[in-house]
Amino acid sequence: MGCRGSGLLAAPHRDYCVLGAGPAGLQMAAFLQRAGRDYAVFERASAPGSFFTRYPRHRKLISINKQYTGKANAEFNLRHDWNSLLSHDPQLLFRHYSRAYFPDAGDMVRYLGDFARRLGLHVLYNTTITHVTLDKDPQAWNGHRFVLTDHKGQVYQCSVLLVATGLSVPTLIDFPGSEHVEGYESVSVDPEDFVGQSVLILGRGNSAFETAENIMGVTNFIHMLSRSRVRLSWSTHYVGDVRAINNGLLDTYQLKSLDGLLEADLKDLALVKDSKGKFHVTLKFFLGETNASWSADSVRLPEDDSDNFAMRVGYDRVIRCLGWKFNFSIFDQSLRLSSENEFNKKYPLIKASYESKGSRGLFVLGTASHSVDYRKSAGGFIHGFRYTVRAVHRLLEHRHHGVTWPTTEHPITQLTSSIIRRVNEASGLYQMFSVLADIILLKENATTFEHLEEFPMQMLAQLEPLTGRTAQHGLFVISMEYGKNFSGPGKDVFFYERSVGHTEDAWLSNFLHPVIYYYKQLPTEQEVRFRSPHWPLPRPTAIHHIVEDFLTDWTAPVGHILPLRRFLENCLDTDLRNFYAESCFRFALTRQKLPPFCQQGYLQMQGLAITESLQQHGVESKLLQNYAAATENSSQRTSDRALAPGPRAQSLDSDKEEL
Amino acid sequence: MASSFSVFSIEVFLVILSCVSKSSEDSLPELSPQKYFSTLQPGKASLAYFCQADSPGTSIFLEELKEAIRPLQDYGISVAKVNCIKEEISRYCGKDDLMKAYLFRGNVLLREFPTDTLFDVNAIVAHVLFALLFNEVKYITTLEDLQNIENSMKGRANMIFSYVRAIGTPEHRAVMEAAFVYGTTYQFALTTEIALLESIGSENIEREHLYFFHCEIVLDLSQDCRRTLMEQPFTTLNIHVFVRTMKAPLLTEVAEDPQHVTTDHLQLGLPLLFIVSQQATYDADRRTAEWIAWRLLGKAGVLLILRDSLEGNIPQRINVILKRAEQEMEYLVLDDIDSLIFHVENNVKSEQMEEGEDEEMESQDLDTQDDEVAETVYRDRKKQLPLELTVELTEETFDATVMNSDSIVLFYADWHAVSMAFLQSYVNVAVKLKGTSTMLLTRINCADWSNVCSKQNVTAFPAVKMYKEGENPVSYAGMLGTEDLLKFIQLNRISYPVNIASIQEAEKYLSGKLYEDLFTYASVSVLGLFSPAMTTAKEKFLEARNYLKGHVIIGIYSEADVWILSSKYAAPLPALLLARPKEGKIECIPLAGTHVHGIVQIMARAVLEIFPEITVENLPAYLRLQKPLLILFSNGSISHQYRKAILTLVKQKQLDSLTPCWLNLKNTPVGRGVLKSYFGSLPPLPQLLLVNVYSGGQVFAFPSDQSITEYNLVSWLKNLEAGLENPIKNLSAQEWKPPLPAYDFLSMMDAAEPQHPTKKVPTCVKETDKQESEKGEQEPEPTRKEPVQTLRIKHWNRNYWSKEAEKPFRHEKEL
């Protein structure tokens, strides 16, 4: 081992090493490149996005590539562009690579290649990292360095390791007879090969349906078998569930056109071959001790007991489409990336900040990081993880380079519009709903605030150390959410009166809508961990829902903005109304205090002048008075009352009376 | 017909009301014509909708009709849908598109209704009851009709006259429901003629009115019946409460302890007012009490109590006791009837507010826009602005445009009210500059092009920036209005600082002749004097200029012969010369050692005048001086004499601690609002005031009986200083709190959570919950309306009649 030390000394060192030049790896590289960081991407293939050169097998991506939204706002349009990565180059948008709504996987490969090339990302192609381990070093950023060894034995040292290797290992299943099963990754995609065959597909995800869709027209019938009931993405609002574009088989099943769906636990199955070469499904339990020769002719089959057993026919082929898992094999035990837990055999163990629970400085990005929001949000998909990667990059910028999380600071009068702007255009909040949230950090006396974008909500308690910002004076968390009981497999998402239109019922909104949490103090880790189930955050001091909108356009003055303003006003205990200069003038001479809008606008000589037609409307609405036309008649003797202290004394009505 | 009403008691009425709160799915019986006519019972009323058998199963009308089943049933009226089928020909079956509803009593047709008159459940109930109560409710159109009925009632019975805006409205329904109960006791009269309402001298004629005419007590036919106007909102419940209070005796004499006295009023949530009398003054007190009782009719119960009949329970001076349900008794000493009535009325109001008598009203308030900018912009949304006068930029055109021409850019967002209000002023600027300016007026919608806006460092809207070739963009920091922006643009037609080349040019500049046209927009010009070697001082000056672009005209002279100017104006270099060409004044300020900020301040102050006319635009600049304002409010320009007095005092430095100014109400009409706030009404003008906005917020008025002379003014100010004057007004120091509460979604969510059972929910609701959970266990999600209803029921239960409402009896009523 003596040579190991000297080898390490000579080994090239990088601050950041990224494993994998897929979408997540390239996305991280693009941020590191722009920040001028020392990094390298390791890719075993000769070009980026090698997964997409083979998958999906039938080449149609199910991420939408919407060309037209009727809007010019680039950020908004990203809400409906599920394939682009984030960059400052408007040419690097996926719509320049394909016009198809569901594009071809080949276009993705081309896009990723261009992305790496145009941005000049440092990618080491044809470099297969075969082993990753740790080397303790108290001087290192995280108290250790990551040591990477490639297939040629070349060693690299890294301060931070960013794993973006995706899920690359097909999920296999072991049961008697499983050797007869073909895998999705290798099964023929030529429908001709299935003509007149009876096919059993194991699995019920998009790959299973995609496979079925391809051969449906030529087979005798297709049966699909899996443990759980089918999850349709339009009822779960989870993009990883079966998409309508793939679900043709559901039609033919429900229309009794010989295709069908069945539920059973695959682990209890056994597959036996009969003398004609057909496969029969039976139970492991039935095989008993007769495992000497498994043949359908000798083994007990379910149909022997109940002659209407659904799968009593013989199959010509059995295809496994059970998804993928993370490749743990190259990571040394000392990195503690995996756990015994069944679920965690699919995904590495990470925190909500995407940092490994076992090793500081190791972050998991992209599809492999989907454990954070599995079956909830879009973190396993390009349109989601492009934002979580950015969040990780911002954390790293602060942790290692003293760059605090970017914020913009505004006067409190801008609070309502700052929130309205984001909920209407932000794509990160929209895609990564209930995962990433904007945070409004109030400054002392709540006269100004900082707006911090797309922070991982679950890390709220650690906000200060992670971002370098302070949250001493209260905060708002802005996230997007679906209604609590709306989504789920088997839920009727088309029920009558599913949409909520009244502002007072906004909290019952079912479709994706903005939710704003107010905390007087930053919640603690305990509070976040022991929050009530179904709540993405601990109990806030107050909560506001902006009522769902059919057009996802939350700019209605009375339906959306007014209730939000009332909420913010009551949280901050102030008056956030806008006033024309004339009103501010009157307040300035008749009151000792001015509302924030007048303080921050009018008193700074930036008052808002009124025009004639607006003045007219103001008088008609009784919100303004026409002093020019005011008669000497002063029958209103209520001025004293209006000025008396009291919670409602400043309400609109009293303002009217006051004059 | 009339006698059949006698079976109804008040309790029936209450139960009818209680049903309103429970929503229930009633099924609409669907019958064939033959079947339908066979079900009709003599004396019973029935509403039937005839339609083609193959017509669509649902329509808005049918939905509304379904909702009307329950309320009509409570009045003993059945509802049915009759399907016209080919086999049975009925004359009620019209053409496909001419379906009607018919009201029968027994099998006699009373009235037919086109379905569009029955546009909602309120209209259905109102119309049906209106038809059935034809005799009880007289529809009138003229004052003569009203007088005839009134006369016929005198000495016999009281009457109820109401005005509703239209037939079929919720208010009409409320009247009809009241008539159903009280139709035999009182004569009802109804009108929709606003002229009639006006002719009996009503105010606020745009809303519904209900009057109680006290005709029973009128014995002299020439005398008018006394009227009481219902002031509560027009709901069935309120009408009921109102009529019940009318029925109660005007004045009750009691001899017990007020603690134990109770009347209808208390049950109805109204206060009781005890007038404490004694034997000696009994007759006078009784007359007073009666008078008070009339004034408080419908608002409170009035009782007369003899102090002697109680054993000294009431303190000596007390003459009035106010008692409210579930509250401490209030013992009062009131000498003035008006203030007594005011006190009681306000109590009634605040109680109603607290209880939130009408939840609908409350939530409406929350949804009513109280932001003047948002509301006015919204109301103006359909106006077509001449936007074509400004160039709309996009991400593609932005850079090229601002690089190729001197341009002003307005950054705005089309959903942002303040932006859109300012856009109007911006367009006005474009209109005024049309064809005259070299400056290109452009705008960019940041809701569309957020990338451009953030690249230009625009994080808040609206923002205006000026782009000039070869210069850094300048942010406009003035008032968001036409005048100020126009001034900014005009003053920026030339580049600053103006480099003056010769002494002659400098003199021309100082006299205002060099840029004569610019002096329409600026009153002051600044000239920086530097010797050629003073580079740092010059740099500071140039930096300060950036803050003041578009406010003052700035020039610089830095030639070798600058000493000529320096000695002429006694200005040690470096120095600033402030020239006011209109006043012919040139002032000199030495600059040695002054920082950038200091220079900015000097120049900003230079714009201020000694005795300015205060306007909405310039007040903030003068408030910055942080001195009390000595303002003369005047309707028009001020007298020469006063101006002279002030200027003299300024010269004598007597007013250094103040900002003397004046306000012309013709130019600044909002000054009237200010004066009214000080005086309660508009005082005689001119009016001299000292407004101490900063310390203490006191307002003092110069005595109106004195004339404003130097002497009087000085002695008044001295008195003020010595604290010898009383302020006419103390300005409120109140903070600006939220104008209205917000929806409390957290509590609503808590209430819906099964593990947090709401304790206050009345038992009857729990029962319905149980029923529902029995019905379907697979319903984990609350239906949309349930929780809101829960809140409502909770609220209903607080009402006085809740006990009756819970009584589990159903009514079969017959007409």
Side-chain angles (χ1 to χ4, degrees):
Chain A
M1 287 305 281
C3 64
R4 183 174 164 256
S6 58
L8 267 183
L9 279 180
H13 172 269
R14 296 269 179 234
D15 286 347
Y16 295 97
C17 293
V18 183
L19 288 191
L26 294 181
Q27 182 66 79
M28 182 47 104
F31 289 127
L32 292 169
Q33 171 95 355
R34 197 170 164 84
R37 302 298 166 212
D38 174 42
Y39 76 97
V41 184
F42 300 91
E43 169 59 46
R44 72 178 153 188
S46 58
S50 64
F51 182 88
F52 291 98
T53 58
R54 183 157 183 80
Y55 303 111
R57 292 296 311 284
H58 304 88
R59 309 313 288 148
K60 187 187 269 187
L61 295 177
I62 52 175
S63 296
I64 59 171
N65 174 40
K66 203 162 166 52
Q67 305 272 314
Y68 307 103
T69 61
K71 300 214 181 193
N73 189 310
E75 176 72 15
F76 175 88
N77 286 342
L78 276 176
R79 288 181 172 186
H80 306 290
D81 171 353
W82 292 7
N83 295 288
S84 296
L85 295 178
L86 305 176
S87 75
H88 285 81
D89 185 347
Q91 278 311 303
L92 287 175
L93 285 174
F94 198 81
R95 61 187 160 92
H96 301 306
Y97 289 79
S98 170
R99 298 188 63 78
Y101 190 51
F102 293 105
D104 188 84
D107 292 328
M108 178 55 80
V109 177
R110 200 158 52 84
Y111 172 73
L112 294 175
D114 269 12
F115 189 85
R117 202 163 31 251
R118 277 183 75 109
L119 298 179
L121 304 179
H122 308 312
V123 187
L124 302 172
Y125 295 107
N126 303 311
T127 307
T128 310
I129 299 300
T130 54
H131 191 64
V132 180
T133 187
L134 271 184
D135 190 47
K136 289 261 178 287
D137 176 0
Q139 303 294 306
W141 286 357
N142 294 299
H144 51 242
R145 290 163 195 274
F146 297 93
V147 182
L148 279 54
T149 312
D150 75 6
H151 60 293
K152 290 183 197 143
Q154 171 71 46
V155 175
Y156 305 88
Q157 297 187 80
C158 318
S159 300
V160 172
L161 181 62
L162 301 152
V163 178
T165 50
L167 302 178
S168 56
V169 182
T171 307
L172 303 177
I173 192 148
D174 189 28
F175 54 78
S178 57
E179 67 275 11
H180 303 306
V181 174
E182 296 170 87
Y184 168 77
E185 60 281 2
S186 56
V187 72
S188 163
V189 291
D190 184 359
E192 288 300 311
D193 294 344
F194 295 84
V195 171
Q197 295 189 345
S198 309
V199 178
L200 176 66
I201 296 178
L202 306 178
R204 190 157 292 172
N206 276 304
S207 60
F209 276 91
E210 167 202 325
T211 305
E213 191 87 11
N214 184 43
I215 57 175
M216 208 160 60
V218 295
T219 50
N220 298 338
F221 55 80
I222 304 169
H223 288 171
M224 291 178 101
L225 184 63
S226 84
R227 184 176 44 187
S228 54
R229 57 171 298 163
V230 65
R231 298 168 55 94
L232 297 164
S233 70
W234 47 260
S235 78
T236 60
H237 295 111
Y238 172 64
V239 287
D241 286 329
V242 175
R243 303 281 303 284
I245 182 176
N246 277 333
N247 70 9
L249 187 123
L250 296 180
D251 246 24
T252 55
Y253 167 47
Q254 292 292 356
L255 299 174
K256 293 309 277 179
S257 302
L258 297 178
D259 299 324
L261 293 167
L262 297 149
E263 281 91 33
D265 195 334
L266 298 182
K267 282 190 206 123
D268 301 334
L269 284 188
L271 208 59
V272 290
K273 201 173 189 177
D274 69 9
S275 51
K276 291 171 207 146
K278 299 235 176 196
F279 301 109
H280 288 265
V281 173
T282 184
L283 298 172
K284 207 189 269 180
F285 168 72
F286 286 170
L287 295 179
E289 283 102 48
T290 64
N291 59 355
S293 66
W294 291 334
S295 159
D297 308 315
S298 60
V299 165
R300 189 167 144 217
L301 298 172
E303 53 262 45
D304 298 340
D305 295 337
S306 86
D307 56 9
N308 63 348
F309 175 61
M311 286 183 290
R312 59 187 179 273
V313 289
Y315 297 101
D316 296 297
R317 297 178 96 137
V318 181
I319 306 169
R320 155 178 60 72
C321 303
L322 297 170
W324 280 269
K325 329 189 267 197
F326 182 72
N327 182 0
F328 289 94
S329 68
I330 62 167
F331 298 95
D332 193 87
Q333 281 290 315
S334 62
L335 294 168
R336 291 183 289 162
L337 216 49
S338 69
S339 79
E340 312 75 51
N341 177 323
E342 185 58 32
F343 177 66
N344 286 306
K345 282 187 182 154
K346 187 173 170 82
Y347 292 112
L349 209 56
I350 54 172
K351 298 190 251 182
S353 59
Y354 301 91
E355 187 163 19
S356 156
K357 282 188 180 168
S359 335
R360 188 177 156 91
L362 190 159
F363 289 85
V364 179
L365 311 175
T367 308
S369 69
H370 196 23
S371 57
V372 170
D373 60 339
Y374 184 62
R375 285 195 170 158
K376 289 192 189 89
S377 205
F381 311 90
I382 294 176
H383 62 289
F385 65 62
R386 61 191 182 203
Y387 301 106
T388 60
V389 167
R390 180 157 69 184
V392 170
H393 176 247
R394 285 170 173 165
L395 294 177
L396 290 169
E397 283 291 297
H398 174 243
R399 185 187 279 180
H400 299 304
H401 311 286
V403 180
T404 46
W405 194 294
T407 58
T408 49
E409 192 169 336
H410 305 277
I412 204 74
T413 47
Q414 297 281 338
L415 183 56
T416 316
S417 48
S418 189
I419 294 174
I420 288 290
R421 183 178 71 83
R422 285 289 291 167
V423 302
N424 277 298
E425 64 179 35
S427 174
L429 300 184
Y430 192 82
Q431 312 288 20
M432 291 306 295
F433 58 86
S434 305
V435 177
L436 296 181
D438 276 16
I439 317 282
I440 302 279
L441 299 170
L442 296 167
K443 301 297 227 176
E444 206 169 350
N445 300 329
T447 51
T448 56
F449 67 92
E450 282 179 309
H451 194 135
L452 185 153
E453 293 178 0
E454 293 167 18
F455 182 79
M457 283 166 91
Q458 299 305 307
M459 300 305 290
L460 192 59
Q462 287 92 335
L463 178 113
E464 293 190 331
L466 288 180
T467 63
R469 303 286 174 183
T470 51
Q472 298 301 312
H473 307 287
L475 64 153
F476 292 97
V477 178
I478 303 147
S479 84
M480 308 275 274
E481 291 172 20
Y482 280 100
K484 285 205 184 344
N485 291 307
F486 186 42
S487 323
K491 289 259 168 85
D492 175 13
V493 287
F494 296 107
F495 69 90
Y496 193 59
E497 292 198 329
R498 63 189 173 277
S499 70
V500 171
H502 297 283
T503 50
E504 76 260 33
D505 298 335
W507 63 282
L508 291 165
S509 293
N510 285 313
F511 289 95
L512 197 60
H513 63 281
V515 182
I516 296 124
Y517 298 78
Y518 172 61
Y519 295 94
K520 278 201 174 124
Q521 275 123 24
L522 200 60
T524 63
E525 237 179 303
Q526 291 281 309
E527 285 169 336
V528 175
R529 192 174 310 151
F530 300 113
R531 65 188 187 266
S532 32
H534 311 305
W535 279 70
L537 285 175
R539 187 183 172 84
T541 312
I543 195 167
H544 183 69
H545 290 252
I546 302 184
V547 69
E548 64 187 2
D549 190 79
F550 188 63
L551 304 171
T552 65
D553 177 2
W554 287 281
T555 58
V558 172
H560 302 137
I561 301 177
L562 177 67
L564 173 65
R565 193 196 85 215
R566 294 211 193 286
F567 167 74
L568 298 172
E569 282 172 334
N570 281 280
C571 291
L572 301 174
D573 198 29
T574 188
D575 184 332
L576 293 178
R577 283 179 292 175
N578 302 307
F579 294 97
Y580 287 110
E582 196 172 76
S583 301
C584 293
F585 174 89
R586 181 164 54 82
F587 299 146
L589 289 178
T590 56
R591 287 164 168 275
Q592 293 191 50
K593 305 261 165 63
L594 291 192
F597 187 83
C598 293
Q599 276 179 37
Q600 294 174 358
Y602 181 70
L603 280 194
Q604 309 305 315
M605 303 204 246
Q606 294 174 15
L608 176 66
I610 196 165
T611 62
E612 227 167 86
S613 71
L614 292 174
Q615 167 84 37
Q616 224 167 16
H617 289 297
V619 173
E620 276 164 23
S621 68
K622 301 199 172 132
L623 286 170
L624 294 174
Q625 281 226 341
N626 187 356
Y627 295 103
T631 54
E632 311 274 306
N633 166 25
S634 57
S635 55
Q636 283 169 307
R637 292 273 300 149
T638 45
S639 56
D640 292 323
R641 255 202 300 151
L643 285 170
R648 291 194 174 214
Q650 281 162 339
S651 78
L652 184 66
D653 292 317
S654 59
D655 268 340
K656 261 187 277 168
E657 285 169 276
E658 191 181 323
L659 308 164
Chain B
M1 165 86 191
S3 62
S4 62
F5 277 108
S6 56
V7 296
F8 296 106
S9 67
I10 298 307
E11 266 145 70
V12 175
F13 187 74
L14 290 168
V15 174
I16 293 166
L17 283 172
S18 72
C19 295
V20 177
S21 65
K22 291 181 198 156
S23 87
S24 51
E25 267 298 301
D26 293 292
S27 62
L28 185 63
E30 298 200 24
L31 305 166
S32 70
Q34 225 164 36
K35 191 86 193 295
Y36 172 71
F37 287 111
S38 71
T39 61
L40 295 180
Q41 293 168 28
K44 280 202 98 176
S46 169
L47 180 70
Y49 171 55
F50 283 75
C51 65
Q52 297 297 344
D54 52 355
S55 65
T58 54
S59 68
I60 298 165
F61 172 68
L62 280 177
E63 290 298 314
E64 296 293 337
L65 190 63
K66 264 187 204 162
E67 257 189 72
I69 294 174
R70 175 60 71 85
L72 287 178
Q73 231 165 41
D74 289 323
Y75 298 111
I77 304 155
S78 60
V79 181
K81 179 183 166 202
V82 180
N83 291 324
C84 296
I85 40 177
K86 276 192 188 128
E87 297 78 52
E88 295 178 26
I89 296 157
S90 165
R91 65 191 175 97
Y92 300 111
C93 288
K95 303 262 154 40
D96 321 282
D97 49 345
L98 267 175
M99 291 299 129
K100 282 181 179 169
Y102 298 90
L103 181 68
F104 297 94
R105 186 183 296 122
N107 45 22
V108 180
L109 174 65
L110 286 186
R111 186 74 53 88
E112 62 176 62
F113 304 104
T115 51
D116 56 354
T117 60
L118 305 183
F119 44 85
D120 68 2
V121 59
N122 290 319
I124 296 172
V125 175
H127 275 286
V128 168
L129 291 181
F130 200 25
L132 289 174
L133 299 173
F134 182 74
N135 290 316
E136 284 77 14
V137 182
K138 293 257 189 283
Y139 182 80
I140 56 174
T141 52
T142 63
L143 187 60
E144 205 185 340
D145 293 343
L146 182 66
Q147 279 160 348
N148 286 341
I149 300 176
E150 190 178 337
N151 285 335
S152 69
M153 285 296 127
K154 281 177 189 164
R156 287 177 48 217
N158 295 324
M159 67 179 274
I160 292 170
F161 166 61
S162 54
Y163 158 76
V164 293
R165 272 179 289 192
I167 300 296
T169 56
E171 291 78 15
H172 179 219
R173 175 182 169 180
V175 174
M176 294 318 303
E177 286 182 316
F180 189 85
V181 176
Y182 296 109
T184 46
T185 320
Y186 306 110
Q187 177 64 52
F188 277 71
L190 179 81
T191 188
T192 53
E193 297 295 324
I194 201 157
L196 172 54
L197 186 66
E198 233 171 336
S199 63
I200 65 164
S202 300
E203 284 173 13
N204 291 330
I205 50 169
E206 67 274 12
R207 64 175 184 93
E208 278 73 17
H209 278 66
L210 187 138
Y211 285 100
F212 192 92
F213 281 44
H214 304 266
C215 295
E216 200 176 351
I217 50 168
V218 178
L219 299 173
D220 177 1
L221 276 182
S222 63
Q223 200 185 347
D224 279 343
C225 302
R226 210 185 249 271
R227 296 168 194 165
T228 311
L229 173 67
M230 182 176 95
E231 290 180 4
Q232 288 79 15
F234 227 76
T235 63
T236 312
L237 182 63
N238 282 341
I239 297 178
H240 162 66
V241 170
F242 176 73
V243 175
R244 263 185 79 178
T245 56
M246 293 302 119
K247 253 172 64 175
L250 183 68
L251 181 67
T252 318
E253 284 182 56
V254 288
E256 332 159 48
D257 186 341
Q259 207 81 46
H260 308 303
V261 176
T262 176
T263 73
D264 266 6
H265 294 92
L266 275 190
Q267 287 174 25
L268 295 169
L270 298 173
L272 288 185
L273 188 73
F274 294 86
I275 310 285
V276 183
S277 170
Q278 42 209 350
Q279 215 69 59
T281 57
Y282 179 77
D283 284 337
D285 289 342
R286 194 187 155 83
R287 274 196 300 278
T288 312
E290 249 174 52
W291 199 65
I292 292 172
W294 274 115
R295 295 221 12 213
L296 285 176
L297 195 58
K299 293 166 196 157
V302 180
L303 301 96
L304 191 64
I305 190 165
L306 271 178
R307 187 187 296 279
D308 321 284
S309 68
L310 299 164
E311 285 105 40
N313 271 347
I314 305 168
Q316 254 324 299
R317 285 187 61 238
I318 296 301
N319 54 12
V320 172
I321 302 166
L322 191 61
K323 178 178 178 179
R324 277 163 290 169
E326 288 158 31
Q327 279 190 43
E328 285 285 302
M329 303 233 282
E330 219 180 316
Y331 294 91
L332 306 162
V333 184
L334 286 161
D335 317 310
D336 167 17
I337 292 176
D338 280 347
S339 55
L340 171 67
I341 284 165
F342 183 78
H343 182 78
V344 176
E345 281 179 346
N346 270 21
N347 263 313
V348 175
K349 263 182 207 151
S350 65
E351 255 166 50
Q352 281 175 346
M353 288 266 271
E354 276 163 34
E355 287 196 5
E357 198 64 57
D358 194 344
E359 197 150 275
E360 218 71 84
M361 288 278 285
E362 208 172 75
S363 62
Q364 252 174 18
D365 276 350
L366 280 191
D367 287 342
T368 302
Q369 184 63 268
D370 51 4
D371 182 316
E372 59 193 43
V373 180
E375 180 65 15
T376 49
V377 167
Y378 182 73
R379 282 175 183 244
D380 208 39
R381 67 194 180 282
K382 291 194 175 150
K383 183 174 153 184
Q384 296 283 324
L385 289 175
L387 284 173
E388 65 282 356
L389 294 177
T390 58
V391 179
E392 184 170 13
L393 300 182
T394 67
E395 191 157 12
E396 284 80 41
T397 58
F398 185 88
D399 287 335
T401 310
V402 300
M403 274 191 336
N404 294 333
S405 48
D406 291 354
S407 22
I408 299 276
V409 184
L410 166 65
F411 298 87
Y412 69 106
D414 55 6
W415 51 263
H416 184 239
V418 176
S419 285
M420 295 313 280
F422 179 52
L423 182 63
Q424 299 210 351
S425 302
Y426 190 72
V427 169
N428 286 346
V429 170
V431 170
K432 293 200 171 165
L433 286 178
K434 196 177 170 187
T436 64
S437 177
T438 53
M439 195 72 83
L440 187 66
L441 285 183
T442 68
R443 67 196 151 86
I444 184 159
N445 183 356
C446 295
D448 284 340
W449 310 105
S450 50
N451 287 347
V452 180
C453 303
S454 47
K455 247 185 232 162
Q456 299 298 319
N457 275 328
V458 172
T459 53
F461 328 115
V464 175
K465 287 192 171 205
M466 180 179 65
Y467 295 80
K468 270 186 159 183
E469 212 190 327
E471 290 179 31
N472 286 331
V474 178
S475 293
Y476 171 69
M479 180 135 158
L480 301 174
T482 309
E483 294 309 314
D484 276 29
L485 182 60
L486 198 59
K487 180 174 147 186
F488 175 81
I489 293 171
Q490 295 290 20
L491 289 182
N492 274 299
R493 283 203 316 238
I494 55 169
S495 289
Y496 296 107
V498 180
N499 274 309
I500 307 291
S502 65
I503 295 286
Q504 289 77 9
E505 201 183 14
E507 294 289 3
K508 231 174 127 188
Y509 174 85
L510 290 171
S511 65
K513 283 185 188 120
L514 192 58
Y515 293 107
E516 218 158 346
D517 50 339
L518 291 189
F519 281 94
T520 358
Y521 307 101
S523 53
V524 185
S525 69
V526 177
L527 184 64
L529 300 180
F530 304 93
S531 69
M534 293 173 171
T535 43
T536 40
K538 256 194 274 184
E539 264 165 38
K540 282 183 198 162
F541 177 72
L542 291 179
E543 205 184 324
R545 150 206 77 143
N546 282 330
Y547 293 95
L548 288 157
K549 272 188 179 171
H551 295 284
V552 271
I553 303 168
I554 302 169
I556 186 166
Y557 189 66
S558 175
E559 299 299 319
D561 57 358
V562 67
W563 59 269
I564 302 177
L565 289 173
S566 168
S567 56
K568 177 173 179 194
Y569 295 105
L573 298 179
L576 284 187
L577 293 181
L578 304 177
R580 296 174 199 277
K582 276 180 216 159
E583 298 167 39
K585 275 189 206 153
I586 293 174
E587 194 184 337
C588 158
I589 298 164
L591 269 191
T594 316
H595 290 290
V596 176
H597 190 67
I599 302 176
V600 173
Q601 252 177 358
I602 288 168
M603 291 202 268
R605 292 232 171 140
V607 186
L608 301 186
E609 295 170 43
I610 302 163
F611 180 49
E613 179 194 336
I614 283 292
T615 60
V616 170
E617 289 75 22
N618 71 14
L619 176 70
Y622 291 96
L623 284 179
R624 284 191 174 182
L625 302 175
Q626 306 242 339
K627 293 179 190 169
L629 299 170
L630 181 67
I631 321 180
L632 182 76
F633 284 83
S634 163
N635 198 14
S637 48
I638 50 170
S639 73
H640 181 69
Q641 176 206 356
Y642 175 71
R643 182 186 293 274
K644 216 181 104 196
I646 290 286
L647 289 176
T648 315
L649 290 177
V650 168
K651 253 185 208 154
Q652 294 168 357
K653 308 238 176 234
Q654 302 244 35
L655 299 178
D656 280 3
S657 61
L658 304 172
T659 303
C661 54
W662 65 287
L663 187 144
N664 185 346
L665 290 175
K666 289 206 167 116
N667 296 333
T668 312
V670 64
R672 281 183 229 275
V674 175
L675 286 176
K676 275 191 195 168
S677 151
Y678 293 161
F679 290 92
S681 60
L682 211 56
L685 293 169
Q687 184 72 233
L688 181 65
L689 296 164
L690 187 100
V691 184
N692 197 347
V693 185
Y694 283 97
S695 48
Q698 291 173 322
V699 180
F700 299 92
F702 184 79
S704 54
D705 51 356
Q706 293 183 17
S707 59
I708 304 171
T709 61
E710 280 160 51
Y711 177 79
N712 286 343
L713 201 49
V714 168
S715 59
W716 179 60
L717 290 174
K718 276 197 182 131
N719 282 349
L720 282 181
E721 216 167 319
L724 297 174
E725 297 278 334
N726 286 327
I728 56 155
K729 174 101 184 165
N730 283 309
L731 300 185
S732 161
Q734 210 178 6
E735 299 287 344
W736 287 78
K737 298 289 179 191
L740 284 175
Y743 291 117
D744 186 359
F745 290 137
L746 202 55
S747 325
M748 295 188 204
M749 292 164 92
D750 283 347
E753 287 275 315
Q755 61 262 43
H756 299 290
T758 43
K759 286 157 205 145
K760 285 174 194 163
V761 173
T763 45
C764 58
V765 177
K766 281 188 190 143
E767 274 161 28
T768 59
D769 280 351
K770 228 179 277 168
Q771 281 168 5
E772 283 204 8
S773 56
E774 278 162 17
K775 246 192 283 163
E777 283 178 11
Q778 77 281 23
E779 282 185 308
E781 59 206 292
T783 57
R784 195 182 75 86
K785 276 176 180 153
E786 200 177 69
V788 176
Q789 225 175 26
T790 305
L791 287 176
R792 287 226 175 96
I793 290 167
K794 196 161 98 187
H795 166 78
W796 279 106
N797 194 40
R798 266 191 276 137
N799 284 312
Y800 59 93
W801 46 269
S802 60
K803 283 197 183 117
E804 278 109 320
E806 279 167 27
K807 273 188 196 163
F809 71 80
R810 272 194 63 73
H811 292 269
E812 291 303 324
K813 277 156 266 129
E814 289 181 314
L815 281 161

